[in-house]
Amino acid sequence: MLYVSQTLTEPHLFTSGIEGPACDQQGNVYAVNYARRHTIGKVTPEGSGSLFLELPAGATGNAIRFHQGNMFIADYTGHRILRVDMQTLQIHTFAEQPAMNQPNDLAVTKNGVWFASDPNWKQSNGMLWRIDQNGKSKLLEAGMGTTNGIEVSYDERSLYVNETVQRRIWQYDLIGGYDVSSKRLFYEFADFGLDGMRCDIKGNLYVTRYGKGTIAVLSPQGELVREITLNGKLCTNVTFGGADGRTCYVTMADTGTIESFRTETPGRCWALWNDNNGRSGAN
């Protein structure tokens, strides 16, 4: 049945800091803070969880993405992006930026240009960064609201960034060199918070409604298509996976679980894993 959420894992398998999530090509789901902080957990498609990785001392993960077979983790306490070799499980620092408040969520293009949201929760503001393939970072915008969820559109012509406290989603044009321009309001909600976001291959944007316990689906034209009701209320992020890319996985802070539901359309992150042009995948 489409758009009906079920709880995949046991309650409180993860802490209330559960975030991420990201799927590998085998359909496993990864999320941060498995059983305790400073960890990455791995959940099979059947819902069985295990400890996958211990992060270095002082590191706390938030977002997880895959690119070219490597796992990338936003380490918000370390002000850096970590890269994990999935074969050896060696952890390297891909990018480090002391000027960041805390790298929160990540988005990546097909050729490995990254974007990071950077909220300051105490001041209810934030920044937007670009991180190039060599790990060098560039501040794209300061003085924003509480930046959180971030995603590149399937056609890579747009970048979406939301602001949790202000409940707004901004859309930018992505231009040559992956600079941003033509910022405009894409959608504004009247209540509850916003967290992670992902696109499907038709350009729809899936947005976690933190506190409301729903996933809002917005069309490329900025119209609310549907809201999917979850079992928990504090949804923190969403990703696509499964054999056909049509399974959504949602991390839930209040229950420490991962929920899942089926969709009509595959997700962008899954599609990039399965790119027909031979490029390495990204999630």
Side-chain angles (χ1 to χ4, degrees):
M1 189 178 298
L2 296 177
Y3 306 113
V4 177
S5 189
Q6 299 180 335
T7 301
L8 178 66
T9 63
E10 297 177 5
H12 308 293
L13 198 63
F14 291 81
T15 75
S16 61
I18 184 173
E19 267 271 18
C23 293
D24 64 19
Q25 284 182 294
Q26 289 71 46
N28 300 300
V29 191
Y30 299 83
V32 306
N33 298 319
Y34 178 82
R36 61 186 185 280
R37 291 184 67 187
H38 318 299
T39 62
I40 304 293
K42 177 181 177 180
V43 176
T44 67
E46 296 75 34
S48 176
S50 61
L51 177 66
F52 177 71
L53 194 67
E54 295 270 4
L55 295 180
T60 312
N62 202 72
I64 301 176
R65 289 271 187 159
F66 283 104
H67 184 69
Q68 294 182 339
N70 295 309
M71 175 186 284
F72 290 79
I73 304 166
D75 170 16
Y76 73 90
T77 51
H79 307 277
R80 60 190 173 176
I81 312 299
L82 302 175
R83 183 181 67 238
V84 180
D85 185 309
M86 293 296 285
Q87 302 302 316
T88 65
L89 299 189
Q90 290 185 318
I91 304 173
H92 305 276
T93 297
F94 167 66
E96 190 166 12
Q97 177 50 262
M100 285 184 178
N101 302 303
Q102 49 168 277
N104 185 279
D105 206 352
L106 300 171
V108 64
T109 66
K110 293 175 183 176
N111 69 350
V113 174
W114 295 82
F115 298 92
S117 60
D118 183 20
N120 183 322
W121 294 105
K122 290 183 179 179
Q123 297 182 18
S124 297
N125 61 24
M127 297 184 283
L128 171 63
W129 297 81
R130 188 187 75 214
I131 303 166
D132 294 329
Q133 294 100 326
N134 59 6
K136 297 266 179 87
S137 55
K138 176 183 178 181
L139 179 63
L140 297 179
E141 187 173 349
M144 298 182 68
T146 315
T147 49
N148 196 333
I150 189 167
E151 177 66 311
V152 175
S153 64
Y154 181 63
D155 61 11
E156 300 205 343
R157 295 179 180 178
S158 295
L159 177 71
Y160 300 100
V161 183
N162 74 36
E163 299 169 336
T164 295
V165 175
Q166 295 78 13
R167 301 186 297 271
R168 297 180 300 218
I169 302 175
W170 298 99
Q171 182 179 12
Y172 301 80
D173 289 341
L174 280 179
I175 56 177
Y178 294 99
D179 282 324
V180 294
S181 68
S182 304
K183 179 182 179 181
R184 64 267 193 195
L185 184 65
F186 180 70
Y187 199 87
E188 184 171 8
F189 292 92
D191 53 15
F192 297 101
L194 310 179
D195 209 318
M197 306 188 297
R198 293 293 183 271
C199 279
D200 67 20
I201 64 172
K202 290 185 177 179
N204 300 302
L205 187 65
Y206 290 62
V207 185
T208 51
R209 303 294 320 282
Y210 187 88
K212 189 176 185 182
T214 66
I215 301 294
V217 182
L218 302 172
S219 74
Q221 293 74 39
E223 300 170 347
L224 182 64
V225 176
R226 64 171 47 88
E227 280 202 87
I228 302 150
T229 301
L230 305 168
N231 296 295
K233 294 295 185 184
L234 305 184
C235 43
T236 57
N237 215 329
V238 59
T239 196
F240 287 82
D244 58 4
R246 293 169 49 213
T247 301
C248 269
Y249 296 96
V250 186
T251 47
M252 307 297 299
D254 49 342
T255 58
T257 61
I258 295 174
E259 295 188 26
S260 66
F261 59 86
R262 297 283 290 161
T263 70
E264 297 170 269
T265 308
R268 171 184 178 264
C269 45
W270 176 87
L272 293 180
W273 269 119
N274 296 273
D275 190 288
N276 293 325
N277 294 322
R279 289 185 290 262
S280 296
N283 185 341

